[in-house]
Amino acid sequence: MSEDWITVRAGQQALQQIRQQGLQESDIELLLGASGGPKWFVLQGLDRYLFGEFFAARQRPLNTLGTSAGAWRFASLGQADAVAASDLFCQLYRRQRYSARPDANEITGEALKLLDSYVPDNIIPEILAQNRVHHHMIVARCRGRLTASDGRRQALGLLGSAAANSVNRRWLGRFFERIVFHHPQANTQFAKIWRDLPTQHVPLSVDNFKPSLLATGSIPLILHGVRDIPGAPIGTYRDGGITDYHFDLDFSAVDGLVLYPHFNQQVIPGWFDKRLPWRRTQGKRWPNVVLVTPTEAFLRRLPYGKIPDRTDFAKLDADTRFAYWQQAVDAGRWMADQFHDWLSSGRIKQKVQPW
């Protein structure tokens, strides 16, 4: 390949380890998946490689942590054929079609149909019984006006929480509580990372797996919140990206490396931090994280010179959007091929950069 399609950056601990011995699946303790809607399409090639080949011989449980689209991606893991499940999710998401002015009822209804096709009820016991992958998915439990179903009260609550967050990220805890739904056999080794916001942990079950997965992608004002998830505290639950958009947790407490395939070279802590350029997660905060992102050269090769995003629903007609998103998925295979080449050849030792 004449150009690099990926950039691999690592915190100091991970950088030193990779430069000395490369990167093997046994080094990875945690796999991260961020919020971002259709932005994940460029990562689907990497998902296919990781789910189907890189982690194929793994002997101990792989922990995953995802919010919104990241959690939905990882629901492929634990199914009998994780690659086929990822392909199905990608196809179902790519082919979503809405009316000219869809409301929350329509969008929530389409999300439920997608979820039922992607994770049928009979698959959930299989995901929970297996011990190869320990899922963790984050959902935001609302407080105050944010529990309301009407748009005006929600909007006021969002404005208040955004203002509080702009002053101090910890103040976001006055409006949202982080709920971590986790595999029933997951251990508590990540207890130290949840120090920034009020957090509770709830075991995943047959009754709450799909409601929590729906909730972690329930964007305020776009989809309806999910009420009273079984096994969790009573309340209204919304998109996990509100508290943990790209994450800002203390992963130094994780005993091993954290692999983070990400669509953006910037890591934005929470949903309200997108317009706060001074609030970004840096490598010095994450000494054991390995961040894999597309390069500028990759982005230039995409239609419109960008990765897909939710604005495409409004800006493009359905057929144009379908074609564009398919091109983004196809291009993402270049990233996967290059990552595989660097790992198998040992070139990752030279290619990894300090973050």
Side-chain angles (χ1 to χ4, degrees):
M1 297 181 184
S2 59
E3 292 188 278
D4 284 350
W5 306 125
I6 58 172
T7 298
V8 180
R9 290 178 287 165
Q12 188 58 43
Q13 173 192 334
L15 180 71
Q16 182 177 359
Q17 182 172 331
I18 293 170
R19 283 182 171 173
Q20 289 177 351
Q21 63 189 46
L23 181 65
Q24 292 80 38
E25 62 82 16
S26 57
D27 300 327
I28 308 301
E29 185 65 29
L30 178 63
L31 181 65
L32 283 186
S35 302
K39 295 174 184 176
W40 83 277
F41 285 138
V42 296
L43 302 178
Q44 205 258 337
L46 279 168
D47 284 356
R48 297 182 91 254
Y49 167 64
L50 294 173
F51 298 175
E53 185 173 344
F54 184 68
F55 289 117
R58 190 173 181 88
Q59 297 299 307
R60 71 179 196 281
L62 172 69
N63 290 286
T64 69
L65 177 62
T67 58
S68 198
W72 282 65
R73 286 163 53 201
F74 294 160
S76 298
L77 291 162
Q79 299 194 36
D81 189 336
V83 172
S86 178
D87 287 344
L88 175 62
F89 175 46
C90 186
Q91 178 185 7
L92 292 168
Y93 198 161
R94 277 201 329 270
R95 303 294 293 183
Q96 283 184 305
R97 190 187 293 267
Y98 297 100
S99 64
R101 297 178 63 86
D103 60 11
N105 289 328
E106 180 180 350
I107 297 172
T108 302
E110 289 298 317
L112 282 166
K113 286 194 293 185
L114 192 161
L115 179 57
D116 287 340
S117 297
Y118 172 41
V119 188
D121 290 342
N122 64 303
I123 294 293
I124 298 171
E126 174 184 320
I127 295 174
L128 297 177
Q130 59 81 39
N131 202 37
R132 302 183 307 276
V133 178
H134 287 173
H135 297 85
H136 301 74
M137 59 182 77
I138 295 174
V139 181
R141 179 171 173 256
C142 300
R143 295 175 169 174
R145 287 177 173 152
L146 290 157
T147 63
S149 57
D150 68 279
R152 183 175 178 276
R153 291 190 66 196
Q154 273 191 64
L156 289 171
L158 290 170
L159 285 171
S161 53
N165 176 80
S166 68
V167 177
N168 188 326
R169 177 166 155 75
R170 288 181 179 272
W171 290 1
L172 193 61
R174 301 176 182 180
F175 299 85
F176 297 98
E177 180 181 28
R178 177 194 289 126
I179 308 294
V180 184
F181 290 88
H182 61 85
H183 187 282
Q185 297 182 55
N187 60 38
T188 58
Q189 66 170 303
F190 300 141
K192 294 181 180 179
I193 74 175
W194 315 103
R195 295 176 173 174
D196 56 338
L197 297 172
T199 302
Q200 291 196 53
H201 301 262
V202 176
L204 286 164
S205 69
V206 170
D207 292 329
N208 68 24
F209 190 94
K210 287 172 76 169
S212 58
L213 195 56
L214 178 65
T216 194
S218 294
I219 305 168
L221 303 177
I222 305 296
L223 284 83
H224 293 307
V226 179
R227 292 281 306 174
D228 301 339
I229 297 177
I234 292 173
T236 300
Y237 291 81
R238 302 193 190 276
D239 197 302
I242 296 170
T243 57
D244 299 275
Y245 190 56
H246 298 166
F247 307 104
D248 192 39
L249 300 166
D250 182 12
F251 292 124
S252 64
V254 175
D255 185 18
L257 299 187
V258 180
L259 181 59
Y260 192 1
H262 191 35
F263 45 76
N264 195 328
Q265 295 196 13
Q266 292 189 333
V267 178
I268 303 168
W271 197 45
F272 297 114
D273 297 321
K274 290 186 282 186
R275 299 183 184 277
L276 306 179
W278 62 88
R279 194 170 291 170
R280 297 292 183 265
T281 305
Q282 304 296 330
K284 62 184 178 182
R285 291 283 310 278
W286 284 355
N288 56 341
V289 175
V290 182
L291 185 73
V292 183
T293 57
T295 61
E296 291 298 322
F298 175 86
L299 298 178
R300 288 195 297 268
R301 294 290 295 270
L302 294 178
Y304 314 107
K306 72 173 189 68
I307 61 175
D309 59 58
R310 285 196 302 112
T311 67
D312 298 333
F313 282 108
K315 293 179 178 178
L316 304 174
D317 65 77
D319 290 339
T320 302
R321 174 168 54 83
F322 294 163
Y324 164 37
W325 285 3
Q326 180 63 60
Q327 288 173 289
V329 172
D330 293 341
R333 306 289 171 88
W334 309 339
M335 296 172 59
D337 289 345
Q338 191 161 72
F339 190 53
H340 172 251
D341 174 65
W342 289 1
L343 293 178
S344 61
S345 67
R347 294 179 67 206
I348 189 70
K349 296 178 182 179
Q350 291 78 44
K351 286 294 187 178
V352 65
Q353 302 175 19
W355 180 19

